[in-house]
Amino acid sequence: MSEVNDRTPVVVAGRRSPIGRAFKGSLREVRPDDLAAQVVRAVLRDLPAEVVPDIEDVILGCAQPAGEAGYNLARVVGLLSGLPSAGGVTVNRYCASSLQAVRMAAHAVQAGAGASYVAAGVETLSRYVNGGADSGELNAAFAPAADHTARCLADDAEWHPGTEVGDVYVSMGATAEFVRRREAVSRRDMDEFAALSHARATATRDAGLETAAMVPVELADGTHVTRDDGIRPDTTADVLASLRPVFHPRGEVTAGNSCPLSDGAVALVVMSEGRAGELGLEPLVRIVDSVVTGVEPELMGLGPVPAVSRLLARNGRAIGDVDRVEINEAFAAQVLPCARRLGIDPARLNTRGGAIALGHPFGMTGARLVLSLAQTLAADDLTTGVAALCVGGGQGMAVLLERV
């Protein structure tokens, strides 16, 4: 482990909401600002009172910061959470938005710009209006790439570079089908991976391993949501095999081997290890390093491969040195080839289940992976973890964590 340094960024506390299914799920009536504020208030209650005036900034990830999630959502959430003297900034890196929030907090600590930050994330797809933020006219510069994508889909062809500029507007479902074709991922393997995600999430829930981090979300009628909506204990590969493809009539990516659309929020407190020591706090994990990379937008799902590879190389690590890995389960079609390319032991990957079972609120997921890794390393008495995501528009992001 690295030596304690006043400017070493650590996570000292973390909480998350249950994850609701979008549109018909348990959190559909909860505004994003109210949802995030309930989680931020809960994580602050876990810490000494002197932490509150210490918070320099509320950095909040949201993939669609419009409508109710507009108005610089981070500042709104900060005020609702009792942090009037802290700043607030909303960041968007799509699926890695809250991981970007964690990264920004870590960088600020390393730079000595402040000692304590809230790094949070929220997404409530149930509350999107008119497509959310991404509802404007598309830039015509990307039209040739979109035509190329359409031809590859129509011909059931493997995607190949056809234009100088990638199809930044390509649908995520199309990217999953392209990755599946290129990487020769079988339908059976995808369905078995999806069933495993549900089985692991079920075992985690039944063992009460998420209880400490879960914030019961209060609804308008005074009742509370205390469980994730999406986990299906009776899911099997054979059941999933009966589902039809959803993104291409002759495809193999289905609703069952993809993550569902979801609502949820998460909040972490990131501070310097020196300040944590002054407050008598025991950090959950150190944030060692983070990496972001770009990939072809049409092969978005492979983004974790260069991100994790660069992260490990930069820190003199090999994948065998990593005790646990979390790769966001946007689609089984992309997690499986990422794991294969990186050489990840399946027994070390997403051991508590992932987004296929839990759901994937875009702005929440990155920091949720950090929290899940911190819990897993502690519960299993392990040291090192990596969390990674593919990101819409063709990016990958990864973070290296060490248990303190």
Side-chain angles (χ1 to χ4, degrees):
M1 295 186 182
S2 57
E3 293 182 1
V4 173
N5 185 292
D6 284 351
R7 294 187 180 183
T8 297
V10 295
V11 178
V12 295
R15 290 291 200 114
R16 74 166 178 93
S17 73
I19 298 174
R21 282 187 171 269
F23 311 118
K24 296 182 179 180
S26 59
L27 299 178
R28 66 187 182 280
E29 300 297 336
V30 185
R31 290 174 55 99
D33 43 12
D34 289 333
L35 179 59
Q38 288 197 44
V39 178
V40 172
R41 289 196 297 267
V43 80
L44 292 176
R45 287 195 296 268
D46 291 337
L47 297 170
E50 53 263 48
V51 169
V52 172
D54 222 31
I55 300 294
E56 179 95 8
D57 207 357
V58 176
I59 309 170
L60 183 139
C62 182
Q64 292 283 288
E68 293 174 345
Y71 307 100
N72 188 8
L73 181 60
R75 179 57 176 156
V76 176
V77 170
L79 290 170
L80 291 173
S81 303
L83 294 170
S85 63
V89 59
T90 307
V91 297
N92 175 11
R93 199 189 287 276
Y94 283 134
C95 302
S97 293
S98 60
L99 188 56
Q100 177 64 32
V102 173
R103 188 182 203 215
M104 290 169 65
H107 286 174
V109 168
Q110 289 170 330
S116 304
Y117 295 82
V118 169
V122 66
E123 207 77 35
T124 52
L125 275 78
S126 297
R127 312 288 291 185
Y128 280 8
V129 178
N130 298 325
D134 294 340
S135 56
E137 185 176 348
L138 307 185
N139 191 312
F142 297 95
D147 291 342
H148 178 67
T149 296
R151 286 194 298 272
C152 289
L153 287 171
D155 295 340
D156 291 341
E158 176 187 316
W159 178 86
H160 58 89
T163 57
E164 291 185 4
V165 178
D167 183 6
V168 74
Y169 302 122
V170 63
S171 76
M172 298 300 96
T175 69
E177 289 288 358
F178 284 145
V179 169
R180 176 192 64 79
R181 293 176 192 174
R182 171 167 290 199
E183 301 293 318
V185 184
S186 73
R187 171 68 186 271
R188 184 67 183 180
D189 284 349
M190 291 190 292
D191 289 344
E192 287 181 349
F193 181 82
L196 179 62
S197 182
H198 282 278
R200 285 175 164 174
T202 299
T204 298
R205 182 187 67 189
D206 292 351
L209 297 178
E210 293 287 342
T211 303
M214 192 88 75
V215 177
V217 172
E218 184 172 3
L219 303 181
D221 63 3
T223 62
H224 291 80
V225 178
T226 60
R227 287 161 66 98
D228 298 315
D229 287 355
I231 303 172
R232 298 181 184 274
D234 56 348
T235 297
T236 66
D238 289 339
V239 169
L240 295 174
S242 67
L243 299 178
R244 296 180 178 181
V246 291
F247 301 111
H248 190 279
R250 295 175 300 280
E252 295 188 358
V253 179
T254 71
N257 56 42
S258 307
C259 67
L261 300 177
S262 311
D263 306 321
V266 65
L268 308 177
V269 174
V270 178
M271 65 174 57
S272 70
E273 194 161 5
R275 181 56 176 156
E278 291 171 359
L279 293 170
L281 299 175
E282 184 176 344
L284 305 178
V285 284
R286 292 191 183 100
I287 303 168
V288 179
D289 195 7
S290 60
V291 161
V292 63
T293 57
V295 296
E296 296 94 336
E298 299 87 346
L299 301 176
M300 176 273 309
L302 296 177
V305 176
V308 173
S309 297
R310 182 180 298 177
L311 179 72
L312 294 177
R314 194 158 76 189
N315 288 275
R317 313 288 181 97
I319 196 64
D321 300 326
V322 179
D323 298 310
R324 291 289 182 265
V325 180
E326 291 277 348
I327 296 180
N328 182 44
E329 296 173 0
F331 306 94
Q334 53 85 207
V335 178
L336 289 168
C338 285
R340 184 173 62 238
R341 285 192 178 205
L342 290 166
I344 299 171
D345 179 350
R348 299 185 181 191
L349 175 66
N350 296 5
T351 58
R352 295 191 171 199
I356 288 174
L358 299 173
H360 174 28
F362 308 132
M364 172 200 192
T365 296
R368 182 191 69 76
L369 296 181
V370 171
L371 179 57
S372 180
L373 263 182
Q375 292 177 294
T376 302
L377 293 176
D380 297 345
D381 194 22
L382 299 171
T383 302
T384 306
V386 166
L389 305 93
C390 56
V391 183
Q395 298 180 73
M397 194 168 188
V399 61
L400 176 62
L401 306 172
E402 280 184 343
R403 179 172 162 229
V404 177

